[in-house]
Structure formats: C-alpha cells, structure tokens
Amino acid sequence: MNFTNIYKEESFYKHQNFDWIDCTDIEGVQGYCSNDAKKELLKRIKDKSSHGIHFIDNGDYHYMTELWLSHIKEDFVLVVFDHHSDMIEPMFDMLSCSSWILDTLQNNPYLKYVILVGISEKQSQTIEKYQDKVICLLEGNINDIDKWKKIDTLLKQYPFYLSIDKDVLSKKVVHTSWNQGDMRMIELELLLGNFMSIGHLLGIDICGECVHEISKLKDIQIDDVFNEKLLEFLEFGIEKRIES
C-alpha cells in the first residue's frame, strides 16, 4: 500500500507477484483517517484478500490493519507486534493510528482476543478497560510462561491475523518514524516462529517504514534489506506450515 512513495525507493518486493495499491491521491489519511478516506480505502481493497502479506507503509497508517480485518468473517485472534498499545482514545471521532485496536475491539464482532507483543510498561496502562480481551507480552518480559500458556490455548481454538509494526524493534535493527522498543531481529524471528507453529495464520501486515526524506536514504536502504529478510522468513514459515 503506497501512501508516501517510500516503497518506490525499495526493491525487496519486486521479484514477487505483488499488487500495488496507490493511495497517494487520498486526502485525510496521515495519522488520522477521515470518514471519506476510510470509505475510499475500503473501496480500493474491496477485491483484495486479507490472506496475504500486506506492507502498509509507516506507522501513521497502521489503522489499515482494521480495514484488512473487516474482510475476515470468522472468529479470530489478533496478534500485534508493536511498541505501543494503539488503544488510546482519539481526540477526534475518527479512526487513527493510535486507536485502531480499541476501535476494532469495539466494532468487530469476530475479534475474540488481542495479543500485544513488545509494548512498553507505560503503554500497557492504556488497556485496563479491555484486560479481559487483551494479553500483553511486555517489553522486557516477553517470556511470561503463564501468558504463553493462555496464548497456546487461544491459538489452538482460533486462527490468528498477524500485524507487525517495526517500531517494536531496536534502533540497532531499523529506524522508524515513531519511538521504538528494544527487540532484536533474532527475538522477532523466534517469537514469530512460535506463533506460526501454534496456530493457523489468516494473514499478515507490516508497517513501520522510516520517514521518506532525502536525509533518510541510509535508513530507507536498511528498511529495504530488513523487509526482504522478514519477507523471506515469513514465506518460509508459511511454506513449512503448509507442508506439515
């Protein structure tokens, strides 16, 4: 999904069969998504499947996950790798990158649980109202055994959709347009492998590109390399899961 033209500077996807959804002409989409923009975005993805790997630009557009989830018509669990909860009440009555999980919990009848991976202690305080529907694997305490037992039970009961915001990662791995966590690439791969080995994966989206500016060319190149590695890892995991 092209919002900022940053993917035009990258090449990780060009050896794939891919759909390019241009959104650069839509107004009211950065950070907040106006009602008119939401209608237009839904129109543009209407004939696309949620079963796939979707790259959705930088974190300002993470709300696109909610729109992709609207295609799922069965009970499911949402697994989100993010340094933020994305469950903060919006200042305006519209969808936003900081509130889309809250909005999805309130409005999507098929969503049974949300599993947040890598969020900060401070951000976890924003989910109190929905503690019965949200499991937090906090930054610094990812390997909480009791929570993994519950996750194991849930993912054997429901399929899951995976959303990855690269701001969960350390700046030693990539640079994003938001403040970041401290997760390493090997930790991300191990965690993704765990989820994919337990449950049935419905679809994936990835955001967290850096700002598209001339001064960020090095960061864009690092993003490109990272995206290629992540794409290869996910495709390999999906292929092995299908074979088994």
Side-chain angles (χ1 to χ4, degrees):
M1 300 197 72
N2 177 39
F3 287 95
T4 67
N5 284 322
I6 195 165
Y7 293 127
K8 289 185 177 181
E9 309 298 330
E10 302 180 14
S11 60
F12 70 92
Y13 56 89
K14 292 182 179 178
H15 64 290
Q16 303 280 338
N17 277 328
F18 67 91
D19 288 322
W20 181 273
I21 304 175
D22 187 56
C23 305
T24 55
D25 62 319
I26 306 174
E27 296 181 354
V29 293
Q30 185 174 7
Y32 278 85
C33 181
S34 72
N35 292 329
D36 287 342
K38 181 178 178 180
K39 289 177 184 177
E40 182 58 31
L41 287 166
L42 284 169
K43 180 180 177 181
R44 295 194 188 187
I45 67 170
K46 179 181 178 182
D47 297 324
K48 309 297 182 184
S49 173
S50 60
H51 303 295
I53 301 176
H54 314 90
F55 285 84
I56 56 177
D57 217 294
N58 72 48
D60 287 350
Y61 309 98
H62 202 173
Y63 60 75
M64 276 305 311
T65 303
E66 179 174 352
L67 305 192
W68 284 111
L69 293 178
S70 68
H71 289 185
I72 299 174
K73 303 302 180 185
E74 60 180 309
D75 292 345
F76 71 97
V77 170
L78 172 62
V79 176
V80 184
F81 283 71
D82 203 316
H83 191 51
H84 310 87
S85 73
D86 291 354
M87 293 183 63
I88 298 173
E89 291 282 354
M91 290 186 292
F92 307 105
D93 185 22
M94 64 179 74
L95 183 60
S96 84
C97 61
S98 298
S99 67
W100 69 269
I101 293 179
L102 179 65
D103 195 67
T104 308
L105 278 166
Q106 292 171 341
N107 297 306
N108 191 319
Y110 297 104
L111 178 58
K112 297 305 175 186
Y113 279 88
V114 175
I115 301 169
L116 293 174
V117 186
I119 73 167
S120 67
E121 180 87 35
K122 183 178 180 180
Q123 284 283 309
S124 70
Q125 297 169 13
T126 65
I127 69 166
E128 292 182 3
K129 185 178 178 181
Y130 285 92
Q131 285 194 2
D132 60 328
K133 287 286 191 81
V134 180
I135 299 172
C136 286
L137 293 174
L138 294 177
E139 177 183 35
N141 193 25
I142 295 291
N143 299 314
D144 188 310
I145 294 174
D146 290 334
K147 290 181 180 179
W148 273 105
K149 287 179 179 178
K150 187 171 184 180
I151 289 169
D152 185 76
T153 299
L154 281 174
L155 296 190
K156 287 177 179 176
Q157 183 178 0
Y158 302 108
F160 73 100
Y161 183 95
L162 174 64
S163 182
I164 303 169
D165 189 332
K166 292 188 290 186
D167 71 20
V168 76
L169 295 159
S170 164
K171 287 186 177 180
K172 294 179 180 179
V173 184
V174 292
H175 282 234
T176 73
S177 59
W178 287 77
N179 66 304
Q180 295 179 224
D182 60 10
M183 190 177 291
R184 295 173 297 158
M185 181 65 177
I186 186 64
E187 292 176 303
L188 175 64
E189 290 179 341
L190 286 170
L191 289 164
L192 290 173
N194 280 345
F195 282 111
M196 294 170 73
S197 67
I198 297 171
H200 173 65
L201 182 60
L202 293 173
I204 304 169
D205 64 52
I206 299 155
C207 71
E209 301 306 299
C210 65
V211 177
H212 187 197
E213 297 175 353
I214 292 294
S215 62
K216 302 293 184 181
L217 286 179
K218 184 177 179 181
D219 290 339
I220 294 172
Q221 291 171 352
I222 292 171
D223 262 339
D224 192 15
V225 172
F226 176 87
N227 287 340
E228 184 171 13
K229 289 180 179 178
L230 181 59
L231 185 57
E232 288 176 355
F233 178 85
L234 292 170
E235 289 180 327
F236 178 77
I238 293 168
E239 183 178 330
K240 295 301 289 184
R241 186 66 174 158
I242 292 171
E243 288 177 357
S244 63

